[in-house]
Amino acid sequence: MTAQSAPRLSVVVVLTALLGLALVALSEEQSKEKWTAPATEAHKKNPVEATESSLAAGQKTYLKRCAGCHGKTGNGDGPDAADLGIHPAKLSDPTIRAETDGELFWKITVGKKPMPNYATRLSPTDRWNVVNYLRTLGRR
Ligand code: HEC
């Protein structure tokens, strides 16, 4: 009897180990996954032109609502970031500017824990103004 059950047991052990490895790989894959907007959202056109007044309004909103985490210059070093123990995105990074207006707008709209969503906290125009302003970060 033992001669028969031993190989069966080792099969179970091996299968369990493989399952465990697969789960670890899967969760690592998920944490590495980039935050991307759905294509339809990414292609949305920005209806607000990046005029002086749009940028000024965007800057005002940014400093009031976003700089606490993302930092005044978008370096991800705001005072709240340290308190929360999080690493907010570095918005001054060129990879952010490479994203479409629609993509940034969508991310600001839906948020992602611990970042709040701004769907009701900011009007669409205010969100587009902030998108316009984000484009100037890291340029100066
Ligand atoms: C409570 C802190 C916090 C506040 C406030 C906050 N954010 Fe964030 N934000 C984050 C964190 C953390 C991430 C990274 C989320 C992730 O990728 O897991 C992030 C990500 C982003 C991204 C996505 C960057 C990328 O990878 O494409 C954008 C854009 C952004 N924030 C803009 C804003 C704007 C604009 C505001 C203000 C209206 C704001 N955030 C307010 C914490 C914050």
Side-chain angles (χ1 to χ4, degrees):
M1 186 176 121
T2 40
Q4 254 182 357
S5 58
R8 232 183 252 167
L9 186 68
S10 61
V11 166
V12 170
V13 168
V14 167
L15 284 181
T16 311
L18 283 179
L19 187 69
L21 280 178
L23 285 177
V24 167
L26 194 71
S27 63
E28 268 176 13
E29 199 49 51
Q30 275 174 343
S31 65
K32 263 186 285 174
E33 203 177 282
K34 262 195 81 203
W35 184 21
T36 46
T40 45
E41 301 292 336
H43 291 139
K44 203 180 253 180
K45 258 202 151 354
N46 183 345
V48 179
E49 218 185 305
T51 58
E52 291 267 318
S53 69
S54 165
L55 293 178
Q59 180 181 39
K60 210 173 144 199
T61 304
Y62 180 83
L63 292 176
K64 202 165 130 198
R65 306 288 198 111
C66 324
C69 287
H70 289 285
K72 263 192 194 136
T73 57
N75 278 329
D77 55 358
D80 297 346
D83 289 351
L84 292 167
I86 49 163
H87 295 287
K90 205 172 158 208
L91 298 181
S92 56
D93 199 272
T95 56
I96 301 296
R97 259 176 284 141
E99 293 186 32
T100 64
D101 283 359
E103 189 150 29
L104 294 171
F105 180 84
W106 178 82
K107 289 180 178 179
I108 297 165
T109 304
V110 300
K112 185 165 186 277
K113 266 190 182 157
M115 174 167 155
N117 73 71
Y118 292 92
T120 54
R121 294 178 174 95
L122 291 174
S123 73
T125 306
D126 280 338
R127 275 174 269 149
W128 288 118
N129 286 337
V130 169
V131 167
N132 287 338
Y133 179 69
L134 289 187
R135 300 237 170 265
T136 70
L137 293 173
R139 278 220 183 123
R140 41 184 100 192

